[in-house]
Amino acid sequence: MKSRAALILAMALNACTPTNVSEVSRAMPIANSSLPPVKVFSNSYHAGPVRANNDLALDFIELSFKLESGRELPVFTRFEGPVTVTVVGQQPPSLQHDLTRLLNRLRTEARINISQVNAPRANITINAVPRKEIRKLLPQAACFVAPNVSTLDEYRKARKTKKANWSLLRKRERLAIFLPNDVSPQEVRDCLHEEVAQSLGPLNDLYRLPDSVFNDDNVHTVLTGFDMLMLRAYYSPQLHNGMSRGQVAATLPHILRQINPRGEAASANFPTRTPIQWKKAIEGALGPASSRSERLEGASEALRIAKAMGWQDQRRAFAHYAMGRVLQRDNPKEAQRHYSAAKQYYAATPGTKLHQAYVATQLSAFAVSQGQGAQALQLIAPHVETARANENAALLSTLLLLRAEALDLENRPSEAKAVRMDSLGWARYGFGSDWAVRAKLREISSLNPLKG
């Protein structure tokens, strides 16, 4: 099975003290709320990657011929012919809107012949189920996809057999996605994007990718231009089921030359692979089951490896971010030093604007807590539109709430009130239930020294 981690490695949005973000995404009453209406994203534009086709070919091969566990996949697999999708179970109110938008993007950007059908089964069956049902099967997963099944009962029977073994798959005909129906709209949508993408295409994640959902840092939550390019290549008529790694590698230059001509002129960077030891260190640093000493040990090891590897990219930045998260409660000033280092490395890495927005929440939260409203406003300003463009409502609402507190510090209460009101509709999409939205309001409001 291929699963999306339950926000374990996501850059947490909490502004001051560490809390478990997955606990802020429970029951989602869209109606019967005293808060402003839920805001949803409608129009979107996701630019494609500007990098060498040589690098993109390497990314494609590593994404397509390995599982996250490191196990090699012997042959290339995908759907052949039109792909159908259906939804079964108790659908959350936001799901159809987001599924319609996703399928439209897959048709127009990735050129995949995919459509929704009103039937109990299809090539891809999306099962909307309670989160507890997913956790019974995979305790650390927010959602997952499995081959050769359509329902939860089928998966329970097949999960430990050859039938559900990705490495034994030779063609894709029937897959099931299991996503939670009792979490925030954003978490439902995030699962939808990642699991549909992996139903159709790559099954691996690579930490070195700055601009992709195929990355365990969970920073990108909707399919990016890079992801759509990978999926478009996946469904090129020049590829087919059963091709070997060598056959696909030999064909990719021709495909990429056709679909990404600007990549022919770009210089290749040939980024280094990410050692499994670094992945384990990051999991130790940010995993919810780790003690503080284990988290500190993991963050220290991730930084040590990043320095030894000579990384200057988002992986070095992420290691600093992880250290900041570990130190944030007990040593906030030292945490800020690591957040500033993360900001520096992200700024030097193309494709990391969204990462920088996450770092800005931490830096601006600290500025608010120190009564430095003007500095907080300066830190927040470049990132609000980035969050909006990347359709991240939780991040967007957090930035707006921080902006409101900074405006209060600057004695601009009417502006603060308007910004805070604007944030609430996005917070309802990002965090879900009324109590979760109000908890986020209280959390960020408590940073303001004027409010005690």
Side-chain angles (χ1 to χ4, degrees):
M1 96 290 294
K2 182 69 182 68
S3 65
R4 176 181 175 84
L7 300 184
I8 295 171
L9 300 182
M11 289 189 169
L13 296 172
N14 37 294
C16 186
T17 57
T19 58
N20 189 334
V21 176
S22 63
E23 291 303 311
V24 188
S25 310
R26 288 189 183 167
M28 183 204 59
I30 290 264
N32 302 320
S33 171
S34 60
L35 295 172
V38 178
K39 292 185 178 182
V40 296
F41 297 99
S42 52
N43 299 322
S44 62
Y45 171 74
H46 300 271
V50 183
R51 51 185 188 269
N53 282 343
N54 280 344
D55 288 338
L56 293 172
L58 178 62
D59 295 338
F60 186 97
I61 292 295
E62 286 199 51
L63 286 169
S64 306
F65 283 89
K66 269 189 179 182
L67 297 173
E68 277 189 87
S69 63
R71 180 181 296 181
E72 299 280 345
L73 294 172
V75 296
F76 178 82
T77 64
R78 71 175 190 191
F79 289 103
E80 299 289 356
V83 182
T84 56
V85 179
T86 193
V87 182
V88 299
Q90 189 68 39
Q91 297 183 43
S94 61
L95 177 57
Q96 186 58 57
H97 170 80
D98 287 327
L99 177 58
T100 298
R101 293 187 68 224
L102 174 58
L103 296 181
N104 284 338
R105 286 191 61 202
L106 288 167
R107 285 190 291 268
T108 58
E109 296 176 46
R111 315 288 176 87
I112 297 174
N113 185 358
I114 187 169
S115 60
Q116 186 174 357
V117 295
N118 184 19
R121 288 191 180 183
N123 296 123
I124 300 173
T125 303
I126 298 171
N127 292 256
V129 299
R131 180 165 59 176
K132 66 180 182 181
E133 295 301 320
I134 292 173
R135 295 289 176 84
K136 285 178 184 177
L137 294 166
L138 298 172
Q140 301 299 330
C143 43
F144 67 97
V145 59
N148 297 321
V149 298
S150 296
T151 67
L152 204 56
D153 284 341
E154 276 189 289
Y155 176 70
R156 288 191 188 101
K157 295 173 183 175
R159 60 182 300 214
K160 295 183 179 179
T161 70
K162 293 180 179 180
K163 183 178 181 181
N165 189 327
W166 283 104
S167 62
L168 298 178
L169 201 65
R170 295 298 178 265
K171 57 183 177 179
R172 303 189 198 187
E173 296 178 312
R174 187 164 63 98
L175 291 96
I177 291 172
F178 305 98
L179 54 80
N181 59 11
D182 52 359
V183 297
S184 73
Q186 180 162 317
E187 190 172 344
V188 174
R189 183 211 59 194
D190 295 353
C191 280
L192 181 69
H193 274 244
E194 183 160 343
E195 304 308 338
V196 167
Q198 290 175 328
S199 297
L200 293 167
L203 297 168
N204 195 11
D205 283 337
L206 298 174
Y207 268 110
R208 73 162 186 262
L209 300 176
D211 53 352
S212 175
V213 302
F214 300 114
N215 187 325
D216 270 330
D217 65 13
N218 289 348
V219 171
H220 284 278
T221 55
V222 299
L223 293 176
T224 67
F226 171 91
D227 300 328
M228 288 296 181
L229 185 67
M230 290 292 104
L231 288 170
R232 185 176 174 186
Y234 230 85
Y235 284 82
S236 165
Q238 297 176 59
L239 298 181
H240 56 80
N241 281 315
M243 292 180 76
S244 68
R245 181 185 180 115
Q247 289 173 321
V248 172
T251 308
L252 274 175
H254 307 286
I255 296 172
L256 291 171
R257 191 177 302 122
Q258 293 169 2
I259 68 175
N260 189 48
R262 61 182 179 174
E264 291 296 296
S267 299
N269 290 322
F270 300 108
T272 58
R273 290 188 171 131
T274 306
I276 187 66
Q277 293 87 348
W278 187 85
K279 296 179 183 180
K280 290 181 178 178
I282 286 291
E283 289 170 2
L286 298 177
S290 303
S291 67
R292 188 186 183 281
S293 61
E294 290 171 331
R295 293 177 66 220
L296 183 59
E297 182 181 350
S300 299
E301 179 66 1
L303 266 176
R304 185 194 68 76
I305 293 172
K307 292 174 182 177
M309 295 291 291
W311 289 338
Q312 304 291 308
D313 59 14
Q314 73 280 356
R315 291 171 291 185
R316 176 72 175 270
F318 196 47
H320 280 288
Y321 189 94
M323 181 61 81
R325 294 286 301 147
V326 173
L327 296 173
Q328 189 164 282
R329 184 186 297 273
D330 299 324
N331 194 344
K333 288 188 177 179
E334 181 66 9
Q336 294 305 302
R337 187 179 73 80
H338 282 284
Y339 290 139
S340 295
K343 177 183 177 183
Q344 172 191 337
Y345 285 108
Y346 279 135
T349 306
T352 62
K353 286 186 177 180
L354 187 58
H355 304 69
Q356 294 173 57
Y358 276 104
V359 176
T361 65
Q362 304 293 354
L363 294 172
S364 60
F366 185 75
V368 168
S369 72
Q370 301 301 300
Q372 299 167 349
Q375 182 181 353
L377 289 171
Q378 186 177 17
L379 287 164
I380 293 164
H383 304 293
V384 171
E385 288 309 311
T386 294
R388 197 186 308 273
N390 285 276
E391 302 184 34
N392 193 322
L395 175 60
L396 176 58
S397 62
T398 298
L399 288 166
L400 292 174
L401 287 170
L402 287 165
R403 175 180 278 177
E405 297 304 323
L407 288 167
D408 274 335
L409 286 171
E410 292 298 293
N411 197 27
R412 296 158 63 180
S414 60
E415 292 174 72
K417 182 178 180 181
V419 170
R420 192 173 287 111
M421 184 62 64
D422 184 39
S423 74
L424 294 178
W426 295 118
R428 291 195 64 203
Y429 184 91
F431 297 111
S433 61
D434 286 10
W435 72 262
V437 173
R438 291 194 170 95
K440 180 57 62 175
L441 275 166
R442 289 193 300 271
E443 178 191 350
I444 294 181
S445 178
S446 69
L447 297 170
N448 192 331
L450 296 181
K451 299 179 179 179

